[in-house]
């Protein structure tokens, strides 16, 4: 049986250089992750802070036996960003993840990965993406199991991936919510998004956790946690499982999910260990079960039919 792929998604947040370098060094040296994504997905303004370190980071990850994927922007808005995308698309010997539909044409005919920001909702879209050179497609977060099964049945030779841990991106905008929350304009944002390392929490008027804001991006307040569904996803045909970086000990998180997808631990042990790392985590798995996304259908010691 082919070993399931464990994927570390791109860092979505504006962490400082030292935090990012330490993160990738530990992922390289201390985890059994198969694929690691690098690059900026949310805001092009962040790129100059870390792009200079990417060659060394990529080399270290590759020397550790990891496949490295360079993720591209989820929203391309101006000529400068189009030029950056063209430059990325021309990079030799590096797998690119397309997250904006405009990048699909640039990558046509070249093996690449399609990210979850592209709406792969049906078999025709999946066929089109594979025909253009996609060898792995990461499905959008909001798909229910019935849609995942249908897409896996239509996948032909491509791998199908789903995210199983981390806050879920819900929207991305040309406006910077983090800047506006601090009374600033996007052009003079002062990079205040970097003050919230897992996103800025947003509450309703009655102080109920609602969303999280990460610059241009709106995320779920809850953390997607699909450990209870991993076996069902594998049975459906999912071959790659993505976890999204947060300020938790991601080495421990990665090793927990590695053991889970390899059948060496249980979903109860994974969830309990996650709670021990940060006991105020709120989990959700509603989208997978055709429920509101913030719902949690399955809890420790209980399995709904």
């Amino acid at each position: 049986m082919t070993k399931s792929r464990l994927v570390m998604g791109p860092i979505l947040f504006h962490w400082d250089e030292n935090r990012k370098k330490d993160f990738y060094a530990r992922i390289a040296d201390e985890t059994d992750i198969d694929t690691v994504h690098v690059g900026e997905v949310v805001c092009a303004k962040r790129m100059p802070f870390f792009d200079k370190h990417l060659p060394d980071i990529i080399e270290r990850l590759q020397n550790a036996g990891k496949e490295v994927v360079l993720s591209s922007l989820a929203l391309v808005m101006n000529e400068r960003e189009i030029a950056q995308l063209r430059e990325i698309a021309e990079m030799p010997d590096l797998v690119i993840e397309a997250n904006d539909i405009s990048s699909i044409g640039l990558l046509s005919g070249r093996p690449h990965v399609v990210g979850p920001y592209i709406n792969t909702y049906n078999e025709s879209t999946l066929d089109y993406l594979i025909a253009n050179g996609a060898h792995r497609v990461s499905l959008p977060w909001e798909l229910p199991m019935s849609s995942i099964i249908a897409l896996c049945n239509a996948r032909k030779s491509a791998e199908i991936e789903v995210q199983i841990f981390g806050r879920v991106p819900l929207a991305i905008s040309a406006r910077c919510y983090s800047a506006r929350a601090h009374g600033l304009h996007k052009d003079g944002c002062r990079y205040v998004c970097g003050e919230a390392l897992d996103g800025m929490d947003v509450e309703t008027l009655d102080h109920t956790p609602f969303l999280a804001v990460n610059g241009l991006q709106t995320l779920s307040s809850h953390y997607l946690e699909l450990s209870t569904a991993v076996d069902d996803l594998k049975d459906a045909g999912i071959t790659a499982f993505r976890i999204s970086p947060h300020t938790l000990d991601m080495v421990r998180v990665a090793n927990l999910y590695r053991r889970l997808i390899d059948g060496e631990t249980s979903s109860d042990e994974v969830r309990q260990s996650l709670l021990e790392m940060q006991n105020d985590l709120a989990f959700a798995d509603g989208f997978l079960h055709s429920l509101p996304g913030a719902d949690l259908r399955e809890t420790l010691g209980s399995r709904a039919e």
Side-chain angles (χ1 to χ4, degrees):
M1 181 180 294
T2 303
K3 178 182 177 182
S4 296
R5 182 187 299 272
L6 183 60
V7 178
M8 181 65 74
I11 297 171
L12 300 180
F13 308 102
H14 187 39
W15 295 351
D16 65 42
E17 297 173 60
N18 289 333
R19 177 181 284 272
K20 278 190 173 183
K21 287 193 291 185
D22 180 67
F23 171 80
Y24 286 118
R26 292 195 67 206
I27 294 302
D29 299 344
E30 302 175 41
T31 69
D32 187 18
I33 287 176
D34 302 289
T35 299
V36 181
H37 288 245
V38 299
E40 180 60 46
V41 171
V42 177
C43 179
K45 290 182 65 177
R46 300 173 180 176
M47 290 180 176
F49 289 93
F50 199 71
D51 277 6
K52 59 190 176 185
H53 301 293
L54 281 180
D56 290 339
I57 293 296
I58 290 170
E59 182 179 12
R60 182 163 186 170
L61 289 166
Q62 289 176 335
N63 288 341
K66 319 297 186 190
E67 177 197 40
V68 178
V69 175
L70 180 59
S71 294
S72 57
L73 289 170
L75 182 63
V76 178
M77 295 182 286
N78 54 49
E79 290 297 328
R80 177 173 54 84
E81 292 172 7
I82 292 172
Q84 290 172 333
L85 185 58
R86 287 198 179 102
E87 184 178 344
I88 288 171
E90 293 172 359
M91 288 184 176
D93 304 322
L94 193 61
V95 178
I96 308 299
E97 180 184 59
N99 283 307
D100 183 284
I101 194 64
S102 64
S103 58
I104 295 297
L106 293 174
L107 295 169
S108 181
R110 168 182 171 175
H112 60 274
V113 172
V114 171
Y117 295 88
I118 290 178
N119 295 334
T120 310
Y121 289 155
N122 55 58
E123 297 91 334
S124 295
T125 301
L126 182 62
D127 286 345
Y128 170 79
L129 296 171
I130 294 173
N132 272 273
H135 66 266
R136 184 162 63 251
V137 177
S138 188
L139 298 181
W141 304 269
E142 64 268 29
L143 288 181
M145 181 64 85
S146 57
S147 296
I148 292 172
I149 292 171
L151 289 167
C152 285
N153 289 338
R155 66 178 173 162
K156 299 179 180 177
S157 59
E159 287 187 90
I160 303 294
E161 172 186 302
V162 295
Q163 181 175 319
I164 57 173
F165 176 78
R167 279 181 159 166
V168 173
L170 301 173
I172 192 160
S173 169
R175 295 187 177 185
C176 179
Y177 300 113
S178 295
R180 294 187 71 186
H182 288 80
L184 301 169
H185 295 289
K186 180 181 176 182
D187 290 341
C189 66
R190 302 178 192 170
Y191 301 97
V192 291
C193 56
E195 297 176 7
L197 299 181
D198 288 312
M200 180 180 69
D201 293 325
V202 178
E203 296 180 341
T204 62
L205 292 176
D206 61 357
H207 305 294
T208 301
F210 178 47
L211 298 169
V213 166
N214 171 38
L216 312 180
Q217 188 178 59
T218 303
L219 301 158
S220 63
S221 174
H222 293 64
Y223 283 61
L224 180 69
E225 205 292 283
L226 296 187
S227 61
T228 58
V230 163
D231 286 343
D232 289 338
L233 288 167
K234 289 167 73 173
D235 289 343
I238 296 299
T239 55
F241 297 88
R242 179 181 295 214
I243 57 179
S244 187
H246 293 275
T247 56
L248 294 168
D249 182 352
M250 291 306 298
V251 168
R252 184 177 175 188
V253 172
N255 290 335
L256 281 169
Y257 282 107
R258 174 83 271 170
R259 293 178 60 225
L260 177 68
I261 65 177
D262 288 349
E264 297 173 357
T265 191
S266 69
S267 58
D268 281 4
E269 290 176 358
V270 169
R271 191 166 289 176
Q272 187 59 48
S273 295
L274 292 171
L275 290 172
E276 289 171 359
M277 279 187 267
Q278 190 167 319
N279 61 17
D280 62 345
L281 285 181
F283 298 128
D285 63 5
F287 284 136
L288 188 71
H289 303 297
S290 302
L291 299 170
D295 284 4
L296 182 65
R297 193 188 77 161
E298 300 188 278
T299 57
L300 289 174
S302 174
R303 299 289 177 270
E305 297 298 330

